[in-house]
Amino acid sequence: MSTVLILGAGSDMAVAIARKYAREKYNVQLAARKLEYLVPLQQDLQIRYGITATVHAFDALDTASHAAFYASLPVKPDQVICVFGYLGNQETAQDDWEEAQRIIATNYTGAVSILNIVANDYAARKSGTIVGISSVAGVRGRQSNYMYGSAKAGFTAYLAGLRNRLYHDGVHVLSVQPGFVATRMTEHLALPPLLTATPEQVANAVFSAAAAKKNVIYVKWFWRYIMLLIRNIPEGMFKKMKM
Amino acid sequence: MQKQLANWGNYPAVTCDEQAFSQDDQLQAVVAQHDAIIARGNGRCYGDASLAVHSISTLKYDKVLDFDVQHGYLTCQSGITLDQVLEIIVPKGWFLPVTPGTKNITIGGAIASDVHGKNHHVDGAFSRHVTWVDVLTADGQTIRCSHTENTDLFWATCGGMGLTGVITVVKFDLKKIETAYIKQTQIKAKNLDEVIRLFEEYKHYTYSVAWIDCLQKGDAFGRSILIVGEHATTADLSPKQAEHPLQLPKKSQLTMPFNLPEFVLNTFTVKAFNWLYYGKNFKREITNVVPYEPFFYPLDAILHWNRGYGKSGFVQYQFVLPMDQQSGLVTILKRISDKGWGSFLAVLKVFGQQHDLISFPMEGYTLALDFPVRKGLFEFLDELDELVLQHKGRLYLSKDARMKQEIFWKSYPDAKRFQEIVQRYDPKGKFRSIQSDRLLLTKPQ
Ligand SMILES: Cc1cc2nc3c(=O)[nH]c(=O)nc-3n(C[C@H](O)[C@H](O)[C@H](O)COP(=O)(O)OP(=O)(O)OC[C@H]3O[C@@H](n4cnc5c(N)ncnc54)[C@H](O)[C@@H]3O)c2cc1C
C-alpha cells in the first residue's frame, strides 16, 4: 500500500485531498500545527476507508524543526502534497512587516524548507512524487494581493526548478494552480460560481494529475486561458488597471 | 458573505450571511460573534426553520469518530449526511434505525427535527435511538445530554429546531441487517376506508407508507397504494443479488436542471401513479425484493425535483391527527381535493405512540402533500389549520413556512415547557430562526 503525506492537513482542501487518497487506498499521514484539528479526520479516514492514518505535528514556520519532523515519520511517504498556505491581509502586510513576513514564510520559505528535505530524500531513493499547491495569484502581481501573489510566484518557480532537477532522478513534481476554490478561507468573498472549484474537484484533479505525471494543472480548464490572457496584457496597461 | 438562501420548498428565500466551520474552536468563535444565529444542515426542511440573517453551516463538520461494528453504534459530527453514513454502515451489515424519505439530510437535522420514518409505529422517531448528544449552548459551553443526563436539554434538543444550540457530536444506535435489500409488498386500496383498514391489517410490518391519489371523488375517494416492507434476508435474494448481499447495484441519477412550471411535476406523478396502479401492479397485491434506495428514497433518484414546482416555490403541508380522529382525515382530504390546489399525490403514514416534549409525532395518522405557492394559498391553509386544530392534531415544524403563531401554541401542549428550557440555556435568545420568531418561540428583533 502506498502512503501520502499531507502538509497543512487542517484546511478544507486538505480534507478533500486526504479523503480522495484514502478512497484510493493510500495510507495517509496528516501533518499540521494543531494535532487536535487532525484527530477527528484521522478517525474518519480510518473508519470510512479502512486505511491507516497517522497525525504529526508540523509547523511550516519553524524551519529548524523540519529535518527532525521528516526523520520522525513512521514510514517514508511515496507522495508528498504541500497544501498549506496563508492568504494574509494585503493592506496590513504593507505596513506591518510581521504580517508580510508571515505570508512569505508560510507560502514560500516554509514550503521550500520542507520540500528541500523531501527532494533530497526522493533524489537519493530515485522515486517519489511531490505535489505543490501554488496559486494563480502567482502569475502576475496585482495591487490587491501581491504579498501573497509574490510568495506563490516564488513557490511556483521553485516547483518548476525542482521538477527540472528531479526529472533526472525519476522523481515527479506536480504544480497545482487552482483558481478560485470555495473554502472557509474564501467564504467571505463573492466568487463567480462558474470559475470556482469545490475542494473535492481540486482533490480529484490532484489525484489523477499526479497519477498521470502531469506537470502543471489548473483545476478548471478555462483558468489556463484566463491566465494566458492575464500574462499577455502589456505591463504599461496592466499597471493602470484596478485589480 | 451575503447570499440568497432558501430551503427545499424554495419558499421563503432570504438574504443570509452563512458561515461554515470544521473545527470546534471555529464554531465557538462564530457563535460568540453573533447575537442571533441558527444552525443549518443540508436545508432539507421545507420552510424557514434553518433560515436567519446569520446561519452557520454544519456541512464541513462531517467526521465519523467511532464505529462500533460489533454492537452497532456510530459516533459522528453533526454535519455528516445520512447518505454518507449509509455508505459506511451498510457494507458492514448495519442500517439507520430511522430514516426520513430523503438521505440528503444531516444527523444534526435528524435530531433537531426528531425525524420519523416509515417505521414510526414500531421504532419511534430518531431520538429514541440516540445514546447522547453534545450541544454547544449560548454561553459557549458544550453540554452532553441524553435520556438520563441533562434530560431537559435532551428533550428540548430533539425536535427543538436548533433553538437550544448547535448539536456537535452524536452517538446513536444502528439496526442490524443481513442484506441491502427490502422485501416489499404493494397493495392496492380502492379508497380511503380500505387503506386505513389495510394499515391496521399490515401493522406488524416494520415499514409502511401509502400514496394517495388526491383527485378521485365518490367511491374512489382516497384511492391508494400501500407499500409495506421488511429488510430482506439472504434467503429472499436472487442468486445474482446474493453474490454481494450488502452491496447495491450501481445507479444513475436524473437531475432537474432548472425550474419547471408546476404542472409538469403533477403530470409526471399522475403518470407514475397510474402506471403503478393499473400497470405492473394490476394484481391487488404484489411482492418483490428491491434495493433499499428506491424503497426509502424514491424521490432522491431525481436530484432537485423541488425545482419542478417552479420559481415561486411550494410548501409542504404535513399534519398528524390522533387515531380516533379519522373523520377529520376525511374532512381535510376532501377540502384539499375539492380545492384542487394540492399535489396529485399525498403520503399517508401511521405513527405509533410517542409523547415527547416538542417532537411532531403522536399516535395517529399523518398526511403530507405539496402546495405550489400562489395567491390565496395561505388563507386556504389557515382554514385547514383550524380543521387540524379542531381534530386535536398538529403540523410538522420541519415542513412549516407559514403557520400562525396561535395555531402552534394551541396544538403543541408542551410548547411553554419547551420555551422555558430553551430560555434556561439561552436567556438572551441567541439561537433563533425566522420560524422561531414567527411562532414567537423567540422574541422577534
Ligand atoms: C424529500 C424529502 C422527504 C422528507 N421526508 C421526511 C420524512 O419522511 N420524515 C421526516 O421526519 N422528515 C422528512 N423530511 C424533512 C427532513 O428530514 C428534515 O427537515 C430534516 O431536519 C432536514 O435536515 P437538514 O440536515 O437538511 O437540516 P436543515 O433543513 O438545514 O435544518 C432543519 C432544522 O434542524 C436544525 N439543525 C440542523 N442541524 C443542526 C445542528 N447541528 N444543531 C442544531 N440544530 C440543527 C435547523 O436549525 C432547523 O431547525 C423530508 C424532506 C425532504 C426534502
Side-chain angles (χ1 to χ4, degrees):
Chain A
M1 223 148 103
S2 307
T3 299
V4 62
L5 165 64
I6 299 177
L7 297 164
S11 71
D12 291 350
M13 208 188 291
V15 171
I17 291 173
R19 282 186 172 157
K20 173 65 185 175
Y21 276 78
R23 181 176 296 124
E24 304 288 346
K25 297 292 169 214
Y26 273 69
N27 287 327
V28 182
Q29 298 172 335
L30 303 165
R33 220 168 1 154
K34 296 189 188 166
L35 281 189
E36 73 269 22
Y37 271 26
L38 302 179
V39 175
L41 179 60
Q42 175 191 24
Q43 307 296 0
D44 184 80
L45 294 172
Q46 303 196 125
I47 295 166
R48 284 188 197 231
Y49 308 109
I51 51 98
T52 304
T54 49
V55 298
H56 310 276
F58 169 77
D59 183 351
L61 297 181
D62 183 9
T63 50
S65 69
H66 289 181
F69 159 78
Y70 191 69
S72 76
L73 293 175
V75 291
K76 290 292 167 273
D78 305 275
Q79 249 188 68
V80 173
I81 308 182
C82 184
V83 189
F84 61 81
Y86 175 59
L87 188 54
N89 183 309
Q90 169 69 26
E91 278 181 27
T92 315
Q94 285 166 204
D95 303 325
D96 176 0
W97 175 240
E98 287 272 311
E99 175 75 352
Q101 200 173 27
R102 192 163 165 223
I103 294 174
I104 298 165
T106 313
N107 296 301
Y108 184 62
T109 42
V112 168
S113 160
I114 181 66
L115 291 188
N116 273 349
I117 294 163
V118 176
N120 290 342
D121 178 46
Y122 281 11
R125 292 199 284 149
K126 306 252 176 262
S127 74
T129 299
I130 296 173
V131 180
I133 309 286
S134 192
S135 168
V136 293
V139 169
R140 208 158 179 181
R142 295 180 295 133
Q143 63 179 2
S144 59
N145 71 350
Y146 64 86
M147 294 290 175
Y148 175 75
S150 61
K152 284 295 193 187
F155 187 45
T156 301
Y158 172 82
L159 289 170
L162 202 60
R163 175 161 42 246
N164 188 197
R165 168 190 157 199
L166 294 179
Y167 172 76
H168 304 282
D169 295 312
V171 175
H172 183 63
V173 177
L174 165 67
S175 316
V176 184
Q177 317 226 33
F180 301 136
V181 184
T183 63
R184 223 180 105 79
M185 187 168 101
T186 59
E187 74 180 355
H188 58 289
L189 305 172
L191 301 177
L194 207 64
L195 292 178
T196 306
T198 62
E200 289 71 31
Q201 286 172 323
V202 178
N204 288 336
V206 165
F207 183 84
S208 29
K213 292 202 186 313
K214 295 244 173 84
N215 300 314
V216 181
I217 60 158
Y218 299 82
V219 179
K220 291 210 152 182
W221 61 270
F222 29 78
W223 274 100
R224 181 181 297 277
Y225 299 94
I226 296 174
M227 294 335 286
L228 192 72
L229 217 88
I230 290 185
R231 220 180 264 120
N232 284 307
I233 302 173
E235 189 65 19
M237 233 161 101
F238 195 81
K239 75 173 180 192
K240 293 180 195 138
M241 294 163 77
K242 287 225 185 284
M243 48 196 291
Chain B
M1 191 192 59
Q2 299 280 326
K3 58 181 170 190
Q4 278 286 106
L5 273 188
N7 287 327
W8 193 244
N10 286 322
Y11 176 88
V14 300
T15 308
C16 174
D17 173 44
E18 190 170 56
Q19 285 172 280
F21 68 101
S22 57
Q23 304 289 350
D24 296 308
D25 58 349
Q26 296 166 352
L27 170 65
Q28 275 158 5
V30 176
V31 167
Q33 191 187 330
H34 297 288
D35 297 334
I37 192 162
I38 195 76
R40 185 160 186 265
N42 210 23
R44 254 42 177 203
C45 66
Y46 284 70
D48 50 4
S50 64
L51 297 180
V53 178
H54 294 286
S55 61
I56 179 152
S57 168
T58 62
L59 291 176
K60 288 195 194 300
Y61 192 70
D62 64 351
K63 312 298 175 302
V64 184
L65 304 178
D66 189 42
F67 178 16
D68 180 343
V69 182
Q70 200 102 72
H71 305 100
Y73 286 97
L74 196 78
T75 309
C76 60
Q77 295 176 339
S78 61
I80 192 172
T81 55
L82 301 186
D83 179 30
Q84 298 174 61
V85 170
L86 288 164
E87 245 177 62
I88 297 163
I89 62 174
V90 171
K92 302 271 191 246
W94 295 99
F95 202 74
L96 293 165
V98 165
T99 176
T102 173
K103 57 184 158 58
N104 301 318
I105 73 158
T106 64
I107 289 293
I111 293 172
S113 294
D114 197 12
V115 296
H116 56 267
K118 299 174 184 178
N119 54 343
H120 189 276
H121 56 292
V122 178
D123 295 315
F126 198 85
S127 58
R128 190 180 293 178
H129 306 275
V130 171
T131 316
W132 49 256
V133 188
D134 283 346
V135 184
L136 176 78
T137 51
D139 62 0
Q141 292 217 45
T142 299
I143 302 177
R144 179 157 298 181
C145 60
S146 69
H147 292 91
T148 53
E149 186 182 359
N150 296 312
T151 48
D152 59 342
L153 182 62
F154 183 74
W155 289 116
T157 299
C158 297
M161 308 312 286
L163 299 183
T164 56
V166 180
I167 296 163
T168 56
V169 178
V170 180
K171 180 174 179 185
F172 63 99
D173 61 45
L174 306 170
K175 179 180 260 211
K176 187 101 196 106
I177 51 171
E178 256 180 57
T179 77
Y181 292 82
I182 300 288
K183 186 173 180 183
Q184 71 167 11
T185 299
Q186 295 167 307
I187 309 118
K188 278 199 290 196
K190 285 197 293 292
N191 52 37
L192 195 64
D193 285 343
E194 186 174 6
V195 77
I196 301 247
R197 227 176 27 247
L198 289 171
F199 264 115
E200 190 54 34
E201 189 183 328
Y202 286 80
K203 72 175 175 211
H204 54 282
Y205 274 88
T206 308
Y207 299 107
S208 61
V209 65
W211 294 88
I212 301 188
D213 168 356
C214 296
L215 299 185
Q216 299 304 310
K217 309 248 176 319
D219 283 351
F221 174 73
R223 181 179 83 162
S224 40
I225 300 174
L226 174 70
I227 307 170
V228 296
E230 294 293 344
H231 289 283
T233 61
T234 27
D236 296 324
L237 301 189
S238 71
K240 179 111 190 66
Q241 291 167 334
E243 279 171 26
H244 302 285
L246 289 166
Q247 238 128 55
L248 290 188
K250 284 258 169 294
K251 74 253 165 186
S252 62
Q253 207 169 35
L254 287 166
T255 305
M256 192 83 82
F258 39 73
N259 291 312
L260 295 174
E262 49 131 320
F263 71 85
V264 179
L265 194 65
N266 252 334
T267 321
F268 174 74
T269 49
V270 171
K271 287 211 172 110
F273 183 90
N274 285 337
W275 180 70
L276 269 178
Y277 201 85
Y278 297 113
K280 76 169 177 165
N281 213 12
F282 61 94
K283 283 186 293 206
R284 182 171 171 271
E285 187 176 313
I286 163 170
T287 298
N288 54 355
V289 174
V290 295
Y292 75 81
E293 289 195 324
F295 181 80
F296 288 108
Y297 314 114
L299 289 170
D300 285 353
I302 311 168
L303 208 62
H304 301 305
W305 60 263
N306 56 334
R307 293 181 184 159
Y309 281 113
K311 268 217 217 53
S312 0
F314 65 105
V315 292
Q316 184 166 88
Y317 194 76
Q318 180 172 5
F319 62 91
V320 56
L321 299 184
M323 277 304 173
D324 58 7
Q325 297 288 332
Q326 272 167 36
S327 64
L329 202 59
V330 178
T331 316
I332 296 173
L333 200 58
K334 275 229 164 72
R335 277 288 270 280
I336 291 172
S337 93
D338 287 347
K339 193 79 177 179
W341 284 0
S343 53
F344 161 75
L345 284 182
V347 176
L348 182 68
K349 279 190 265 215
V350 62
F351 282 161
Q353 228 171 34
Q354 169 152 352
H355 181 77
D356 280 347
L357 189 63
I358 200 67
S359 294
F360 167 65
M362 61 157 108
E363 193 170 19
Y365 284 97
T366 177
L367 188 85
L369 77 168
D370 301 337
F371 287 93
V373 172
R374 67 168 84 203
K375 217 168 149 248
L377 175 67
F378 290 174
E379 291 79 354
F380 175 62
L381 296 182
D382 287 343
E383 292 168 26
L384 295 187
D385 290 356
E386 291 296 339
L387 290 174
V388 169
L389 202 60
Q390 273 170 31
H391 291 280
K392 304 192 173 60
R394 59 189 179 219
L395 302 187
Y396 191 9
L397 293 181
S398 212
K399 309 279 173 88
D400 165 53
R402 33 67 48 192
M403 175 183 6
K404 294 218 164 93
Q405 55 88 11
E406 61 270 20
I407 300 288
F408 167 75
W409 287 94
K410 283 183 197 155
S411 59
Y412 278 81
D414 290 323
K416 193 86 213 136
R417 268 179 60 213
F418 168 65
Q419 191 184 39
E420 278 162 19
I421 299 171
V422 167
Q423 286 170 351
R424 196 175 309 151
Y425 287 93
D426 183 9
K428 295 207 182 106
K430 184 192 271 283
F431 296 103
R432 55 171 65 229
S433 60
I434 299 184
Q435 179 181 60
S436 73
D437 281 356
R438 173 166 53 78
L439 299 179
L440 300 186
L441 268 164
T442 46
K443 264 198 230 85
Q445 284 180 326

